[in-house]
Each structure stands twice: as C-alpha cells, then as structure tokens.
Amino acid sequence: MLRVLIVEDQLLIREILINCLESADYEVSAFESAEALCAVHQTYMHWQIAILDVSLPGMNGFEIAQKLRQACPGMGIIMLTMHDTIDKKVQGYESGADLYLTKPLESLELLAAIKALNKRLGLSDAGSQKILYLDVIKQKLFFDEHSVEVLSFKESKVLKAFIQAEEQTLEYWQLLELNQFTFDEKGRKQLEVMISRLRHKLTHLTGQTESIKSIRVHGYQLPISIVLSDERT
C-alpha cells in the first residue's frame, strides 16, 4: 500500500485530500503544519509520496520539500499552490518537488499525478525504499537481517541523539558532553575519531559517502533518516 504524507493547513482541503486518497486505498497521514508533523515524527522514511501546500504557517512548503528531499532522496514530492507563476514553479522544483499542481485541484488529476509519479519512481515496489533502523539495546544498525552493522555503546548512543535532535544536528559541546570527553583538544580529537568510525560504518551500510556532515565551527549533522527500532509502524 502506497504511503502518502499530506501537509495542508486548510482543514476543508486537507479532508478532501484525505478522502480522495483513502478511497484509492492509499495509507494517508495528514498534518496542518511542518511543526505539527515534527512534533509527532522524528524521521520521514515511512512515507513514499508527500503532498505539500506551499503557503503554510511557520515553515513553508518549499522548506519542507528541501528537508524531505535531503532526508529521503527517493520520495515523490508534489507541491500544491494557488499561485501558478513561473517563478513559484521554478522555486518549487528547485526545492526538490517532482510535480507542481495548482489549486483548485480535481481528484482525478491528483490521482493521475500520483499514479504517474508512482510508476516513474517505482514506489509500489516494496523493496524500493528500504528503511534503516537503529536498535539501541542490541547496538545494531540495520535494513534487515542481511544488512547489519554492529555499533559500540557510544556510537549507538550518539546515533540516537542525532535522530532525536532538531534537524538531526548536534553541536560539538553536546557530543563532547554526551561521550564524557574533555572540553579541550584531546577531547576534540577523541570525538573526531569516533565520528570517523561511525561515518565509515554508515557509509558501508548505506553507500552514502557523506553519511555524517561536518558543520564548520558548530558540530555535525546526520543527513540520512534512521528509525529507532521501537518506533516501527
């Protein structure tokens, strides 16, 4: 069953979208804002297609699209808007959108767009979007029983902290404190070694070379989505 995320602040439109997609046997999760979504979910790999309103309170649809595209490169993203100007469409595509549809939107057009996007991206294939899990207790990072990386206690703890952090970003002092490293050059070197080893394990498992990003004079960011194993749906 195709899993669809909706972020739309207008209640009536949100309910119409939900009814339309559920009638087509899609699994639907709907939120009125990015903030409401983030309050419930730390990662976004559960969904295969996202339908985003451009004009949202707080974080707008373009910003959400950028975050989703970074976290889930294989996700299909559809932008909805009242504005059909070229510059807005260009902004939508530059943000990572696959399709840009204008309101008011007929149900048949939306379903056809999802069907075409689904076919092009191969999203109906159950194996097309593997979910990466972290088991903190067993200290394992895995897709399935055949794709597993064993972690140290500290590596497991650090990954969990990244997953739960805002924008999956941690500052140097947070990482030093978390690992009980000293706040000096020695502690910084120990942190670099640990991050390097963790980055190597993530890259080996996912194939993504920049599995942990260095943020100059700030800290590190985890640019990939990992789900805690006890949060499986």
Side-chain angles (χ1 to χ4, degrees):
M1 181 183 293
L2 198 68
R3 301 182 298 275
V4 182
L5 167 68
I6 297 171
V7 185
E8 165 62 64
D9 64 317
Q10 296 185 47
L11 178 59
L12 179 59
I13 295 178
R14 192 165 67 248
E15 290 181 342
I16 290 173
L17 291 173
I18 292 171
N19 291 335
C20 170
L21 297 179
E22 287 185 341
S23 68
D25 292 326
Y26 295 143
E27 178 186 321
V28 182
S29 302
F31 300 88
E32 69 272 17
S33 67
E35 291 72 19
L37 167 63
C38 294
V40 178
H41 295 275
Q42 295 290 335
T43 61
Y44 311 109
M45 289 189 72
H46 174 73
W47 298 288
Q48 297 162 294
I49 284 181
I51 300 173
L52 311 173
D53 182 30
V54 169
S55 302
L56 292 168
M59 186 184 298
N60 64 40
F62 298 132
E63 294 171 311
I64 301 174
Q66 288 177 329
K67 285 183 175 291
L68 293 178
R69 178 60 67 222
Q70 182 184 54
C72 307
M75 179 183 287
I77 299 177
I78 298 173
M79 306 294 293
L80 298 182
T81 183
M82 297 290 292
H83 310 288
D84 61 353
T85 59
I86 293 299
D87 60 329
K88 287 292 184 181
K89 289 184 178 180
V90 169
Q91 187 178 358
Y93 290 125
E94 288 179 344
S95 299
D98 295 288
L99 294 173
Y100 195 96
L101 303 179
T102 306
K103 299 176 184 177
L105 183 67
E106 293 291 336
S107 296
L108 286 177
E109 181 183 2
L110 177 60
L111 293 175
I114 291 175
K115 184 177 180 180
L117 191 57
N118 178 21
K119 183 176 180 180
R120 178 163 64 83
L121 298 178
L123 297 175
S124 59
D125 181 357
S128 65
Q129 189 174 0
K130 297 170 70 177
I131 298 178
L132 183 59
Y133 291 104
L134 169 66
D135 188 321
V136 179
I137 303 299
K138 295 182 179 179
Q139 297 171 208
K140 290 183 178 181
L141 185 67
F142 60 95
F143 284 113
D144 51 46
E145 64 272 18
H146 304 295
S147 304
V148 180
E149 279 289 333
V150 177
L151 306 174
S152 69
F153 173 74
K154 286 187 176 181
E155 289 168 346
S156 181
K157 184 169 63 173
V158 164
L159 270 185
K160 181 179 180 180
F162 271 121
I163 293 168
Q164 296 178 329
E166 183 177 356
E167 297 185 359
Q168 298 195 162
T169 301
L170 293 171
E171 296 185 36
Y172 289 121
W173 70 266
Q174 292 175 303
L175 288 163
L176 291 170
E177 186 176 86
L178 181 65
N179 291 282
Q180 297 183 325
F181 293 149
T182 54
F183 284 73
D184 55 17
E185 188 63 25
K186 179 182 178 182
R188 192 71 166 264
K189 289 292 184 183
Q190 289 176 309
L191 177 60
E192 288 176 0
V193 169
M194 192 204 69
I195 291 293
S196 178
R197 289 175 177 168
L198 182 54
R199 184 185 285 130
H200 177 76
K201 290 181 179 181
L202 282 165
T203 298
H204 181 261
L205 188 60
T206 66
Q208 186 166 327
T209 54
E210 197 173 18
S211 53
I212 298 180
K213 290 183 178 180
S214 297
I215 303 176
R216 189 178 180 185
V217 198
H218 182 79
Y220 296 95
Q221 181 186 43
L222 180 70
I224 57 181
S225 288
I226 303 175
V227 176
L228 293 175
S229 60
D230 58 355
E231 294 179 359
R232 294 194 213 189
T233 57

